[in-house]
Amino acid sequence: MRYLKNVSTLTIDRKKCTGCGMCAVVCPHRVIKIAERKAWIIEPDLCMECGACAVNCRENAVSVKNGTGCAYGMIKAKLKGSSEECECDCC
Amino acid sequence: MRFKNTDGKPAFSDILGKLRMRLGIKRSDYRVNPGLYALNSPGAGSPVLVSANYKLSFDVLRAAASDLDAWILVLDTKGINVWCAAGKGTFGTEELIKRVKKSGLSKYLSHKTLILPQLGASGVAAHKVKAKTGFTVKFGPVEAYDLRKYLENGQKCDEAMRTIRFPLAERLVLTPVEMVLSWPLLLGSLSLSVLCALISGGLPVFLSLLSLSVLAILTGTLLVPALLPYIPGSSFAWKGWITGLISSVIYLLLAGISSAVFIAGALFLFPAISAFLALNFTGSTTFTSPSGVKKEMLYAIPFCVISAAAGLVFLFYFAFRGFSL
């Protein structure tokens, strides 16, 4: 299953990347592959911006605006003017 | 600090609890105490499995590892599952470091490895845990049922174990909660049906509107999740709208309703409800990105609101003029 195209905020700074491969390991959608000792985004449209890759990059080479992607939570945050995070009871 | 003993056999109350969670009844109150648990009779070389203190998560892990001797380290995730808690940061680096130290885990072990579910990775920075505790964090399979294979495989995942899926059974198990959460819409629809019936039209109008409402809600919360991969398009609101349109049209045809005003009202209102509910299902899926949801909401929410308002105008016009179906 695929979601909307060209929306993922995932980027990798290949100057900082040492090719340790941790980002590729933790990605639950196999978005990243290691080749020539660097990380490459091979399936950007499969990215759900969970942030596992960025959290586990010790070089801070990976960046992504992460979140849970919960419409309910976003609407609630908009209405209450609070920070955009999932605060509903749905998970 | 001591550990508690546990095994993999679910008690009757665990099965009732699971049912209660799936129906969304008092879902925020189903917890186990955080800390260290001995599953069966683990020794110094036994693996350490890290979990959340949502009881459903803990029970799934216990059941999957029921014939293993293992340590289970339960983090305080405020009763939230691993995936959501990792997103919120409670299944997180700090809590894991704290819990490893507090449990005195290392004195029971001859190794320094923690096995975390892969979906905990968005909350836990393995390198930071290593630096603070000396423990190596290994991210195991996405699904607990792959644990045995993972351990037999020398604590290595294959690509399939690392990939998150969203099969029919998993989509369907989430739908009762979606239905329960949609009660305000059902209440609103019920009031609309009663109101329109009282103004004019009586029982036939009441039944038609109520049937259409229930159909729209079931379409958004059950039909769309079930048919998710087969409904064309990638936007959830679109999937909900088109499926809602088809189900409403089928009802109107079968019921033999010929009033153009009523049909217009129904087709503006009910597919919009299905679209909104389908959009909400993004929060339960395992592949939607927040950037995508935000993009979709930008046009889908105003569309749903305006369309539903137009539908209400038509339906009340229908009722006040006293047209027949």
Side-chain angles (χ1 to χ4, degrees):
Chain A
M1 270 172 280
R2 282 172 185 259
Y3 193 42
L4 307 189
K5 287 185 179 140
N6 303 321
V7 290
S8 171
T9 52
L10 175 67
T11 55
I12 297 176
D13 183 343
R14 258 179 294 276
K15 279 191 206 108
K16 289 187 191 166
C17 175
T18 58
C20 77
M22 200 58 184
C23 53
V25 166
V26 297
C27 176
H29 282 297
R30 323 313 291 145
V31 169
I32 302 170
K33 271 242 150 54
I34 305 296
E36 293 159 9
R37 313 189 86 195
K38 295 282 175 191
W40 302 87
I41 301 168
I42 53 162
E43 286 277 14
D45 292 336
L46 286 183
C47 175
M48 59 169 166
E49 300 177 313
C50 70
C53 49
V55 167
N56 278 284
C57 178
R58 66 179 76 206
E59 312 297 335
N60 287 321
V62 185
S63 92
V64 60
K65 262 200 219 159
N66 68 317
T68 49
C70 173
Y72 224 72
M74 287 184 192
I75 295 168
K76 229 171 156 180
K78 265 258 158 64
L79 292 177
K80 284 162 80 185
S82 59
S83 67
E84 247 179 39
E85 60 176 286
C86 182
E87 283 173 6
C88 53
D89 315 317
C90 52
C91 68
Chain B
M1 184 72 192
R2 300 248 329 138
F3 55 81
K4 295 178 214 77
N5 290 297
T6 184
D7 59 37
K9 291 185 230 47
F12 184 61
S13 62
D14 296 338
I15 296 165
L16 281 183
K18 183 175 179 179
L19 197 65
R20 177 162 74 87
M21 290 308 108
R22 289 309 181 197
L23 291 171
I25 304 163
K26 281 176 51 188
R27 212 153 42 107
S28 55
D29 183 28
Y30 198 51
R31 305 178 185 200
V32 287
N33 286 324
L36 187 61
Y37 290 77
L39 178 68
N40 303 319
S41 32
S46 301
V48 182
L49 311 171
V50 181
S51 186
N53 81 324
Y54 181 38
K55 191 164 182 307
L56 210 56
S57 308
F58 180 69
D59 285 354
V60 164
L61 176 61
R62 274 190 320 144
S66 60
D67 51 351
L68 298 171
D69 295 317
W71 300 99
I72 299 180
L73 185 66
V74 175
L75 304 190
D76 185 4
T77 60
K78 319 285 174 210
I80 306 280
N81 68 72
V82 171
W83 171 233
C84 289
K88 292 170 201 258
T90 47
F91 190 96
T93 312
E94 294 306 310
E95 166 64 14
L96 179 57
I97 292 169
K98 197 182 106 188
R99 202 56 62 182
V100 165
K101 289 181 175 164
K102 205 171 162 187
S103 63
L105 181 63
S106 48
K107 66 173 186 267
Y108 303 111
L109 301 175
S110 60
H111 64 84
K112 289 247 163 207
T113 305
L114 303 169
I115 298 170
L116 272 63
Q118 160 131 1
L119 293 186
S122 50
V124 175
H127 57 281
K128 289 182 185 160
V129 176
K130 173 91 178 173
K132 284 273 167 68
T133 65
F135 275 91
T136 301
V137 168
K138 281 193 178 173
F139 291 106
V142 168
E143 301 287 351
Y145 56 68
D146 279 330
L147 255 176
R148 276 197 70 85
K149 215 167 122 195
Y150 169 81
L151 294 172
E152 283 165 7
N153 211 5
Q155 302 189 354
K156 283 199 173 59
C157 280
D158 56 34
E159 286 289 299
M161 283 187 217
R162 288 231 174 280
T163 309
I164 191 167
R165 284 178 184 78
F166 203 33
L168 180 66
E170 272 177 35
R171 299 198 299 273
L172 286 183
V173 84
L174 299 169
T175 60
V177 169
E178 298 290 318
M179 285 182 217
V180 171
L181 285 177
S182 66
W183 68 266
L185 279 173
L186 188 62
L187 201 66
S189 313
L190 191 65
S191 333
L192 170 75
S193 313
V194 170
L195 223 57
C196 286
L198 288 178
I199 295 168
S200 76
L203 195 62
V205 168
F206 172 77
L207 288 178
S208 295
L209 285 175
L210 193 64
S211 309
L212 281 161
S213 307
V214 171
L215 193 61
I217 290 171
L218 287 179
T219 299
T221 57
L222 177 67
L223 206 55
V224 171
L227 300 177
L228 201 58
Y230 314 108
I231 305 169
S234 56
S235 149
F236 275 52
W238 157 258
K239 283 175 191 268
W241 185 80
I242 189 72
T243 315
L245 183 69
I246 293 170
S247 62
S248 297
V249 166
I250 289 175
Y251 179 85
L252 291 169
L253 286 175
L254 289 180
I257 291 168
S258 55
S259 159
V261 178
F262 187 89
I263 291 173
L267 294 186
F268 272 117
L269 177 60
F270 296 109
I273 290 177
S274 303
F276 177 75
L277 290 169
L279 179 63
N280 270 335
F281 193 63
T282 53
S284 303
T285 69
T286 56
F287 65 99
T288 53
S289 58
S291 297
V293 176
K294 211 178 274 179
K295 186 179 173 186
E296 218 189 311
M297 278 172 60
L298 216 58
Y299 67 84
I301 298 290
F303 172 84
C304 288
V305 170
I306 292 169
S307 181
L312 288 175
V313 169
F314 274 104
L315 289 174
F316 278 116
Y317 181 70
F318 168 87
F320 277 113
R321 290 294 303 268
F323 292 143
S324 57
L325 281 171

